[in-house]
């Protein structure tokens, strides 16, 4: 009988108190706050890096187009479909021209016979444009 009473007393004392549980919850909250603060802004930087990588791939496709045809493409759509160029050996970009990570079309501008620029408006209003040069 004494053993049963001791077992009941021990069971009543076992477990965590409300204060201990609250302390653990507060500690977890502080750690989560630190983690969120350290990762804030990383998503936007990842989109900028993705835009730079896409611009690099588009520039490579433009260079391949120029080597094959002897001229720059008239538009980025010429990389996926022949625009009447002789010796076109494409498609140079599969699946069509990609859009930037913000859902906007990449811009392509020619300057002179062999110069060009590919750009993305970047995040927001386009004031932080990302360009090939």
């Amino acid at each position: 009988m004494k053993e049963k009473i001791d077992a009941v007393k021990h069971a009543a004392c076992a477990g965590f108190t409300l204060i201990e549980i609250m302390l653990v919850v507060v500690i977890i909250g502080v750690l989560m706050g630190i983690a969120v603060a350290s990762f804030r802004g990383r998503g936007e930087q990842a989109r900028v890096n993705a835009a730079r990588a896409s611009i690099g791939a588009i520039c490579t496709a433009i260079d391949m187009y120029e080597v094959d045809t002897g001229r720059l493409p008239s538009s980025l759509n010429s990389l996926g479909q022949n625009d009447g160029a002789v010796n076109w050996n494409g498609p140079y970009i599969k699946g069509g021209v990609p859009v930037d990570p913000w859902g906007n079309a990449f811009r392509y501008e020619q300057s002179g016979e062999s110069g060009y620029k590919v750009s993305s408006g970047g995040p927001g209003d386009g004031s932080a444009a990302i360009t090939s040069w």
Side-chain angles (χ1 to χ4, degrees):
M1 180 78 155
K2 182 171 181 339
E3 292 172 4
K4 274 190 169 182
I5 294 173
D6 288 339
V8 171
K9 284 182 182 178
H10 182 64
C13 294
F16 297 105
T17 65
L18 181 60
I19 292 174
E20 291 171 329
I21 292 172
M22 288 176 58
L23 182 62
V24 169
V25 169
V26 168
I27 291 171
I28 290 172
V30 168
L31 292 175
M32 291 297 293
I34 291 170
V36 168
S38 67
F39 288 116
R40 185 169 288 149
R42 298 289 184 180
E44 196 61 35
Q45 185 60 42
R47 284 188 280 280
V48 168
N49 290 341
R52 286 187 179 133
S54 293
I55 288 172
I58 292 169
C59 289
T60 300
I62 291 171
D63 293 341
M64 289 172 40
Y65 179 99
E66 184 179 21
V67 167
D68 287 349
T69 64
R71 66 177 179 88
L72 290 173
S74 57
S75 72
L76 291 179
N77 291 330
S78 300
L79 300 173
Q81 298 177 4
N82 190 351
D83 59 355
V86 179
N87 296 327
W88 188 85
N89 196 22
Y92 299 94
I93 292 183
K94 293 182 181 177
V97 180
V99 294
D100 70 11
W102 300 275
N104 303 313
F106 285 101
R107 294 186 290 267
Y108 168 67
E109 302 168 30
Q110 292 184 30
S111 59
E113 282 187 36
S114 62
Y116 64 87
K117 177 171 91 171
V118 178
S119 62
S120 163
D125 61 357
S127 60
I130 303 160
T131 63
S132 58
W133 50 276

